[in-house]
Amino acid sequence: MQHLRDAQAEKEKYYWNTAVVFIGRDLNKAHIRYLENRFVEIARNSKRYLVLTKNGRL
């Protein structure tokens, strides 16, 4: 939701067009950080996506 609010407020300089959603009772911050990093790694290795993060291009 934070990314949506930032995009609507024009705080984000880039926009995303794909989202992955996980819902579960067992998800915690560590799980979420792992999943996010893993998906970024998969997207980058596939060479089919331009991956942008607040730290720059990946």
Side-chain angles (χ1 to χ4, degrees), residues 30-47:
H31 292 128
I32 293 166
R33 285 188 182 131
Y34 169 78
L35 290 170
E36 182 178 16
N37 288 329
R38 185 68 179 115
F39 285 128
V40 166
E41 181 182 359
I42 291 168
R44 183 177 51 210
N45 289 338
S46 75
K47 299 185 186 334

Side-chain angles (χ1 to χ4, degrees), residues 4-58:
L4 277 176
R5 284 192 299 272
D6 288 350
Q8 290 169 347
E10 297 184 12
K11 291 181 183 176
E12 294 279 347
K13 294 184 181 180
Y14 56 90
Y15 299 97
W16 45 271
N17 56 16
T18 303
V20 177
V21 178
F22 285 89
I23 299 172
R25 295 175 197 214
D26 296 337
L27 290 175
N28 60 37
K29 283 186 178 184
H31 292 128
I32 293 166
R33 285 188 182 131
Y34 169 78
L35 290 170
E36 182 178 16
N37 288 329
R38 185 68 179 115
F39 285 128
V40 166
E41 181 182 359
I42 291 168
R44 183 177 51 210
N45 289 338
S46 75
K47 299 185 186 334
R48 292 180 12 200
Y49 301 96
L50 174 63
V51 180
L52 302 172
T53 66
K54 294 216 182 227
N55 296 327
R57 288 182 174 201
L58 296 176

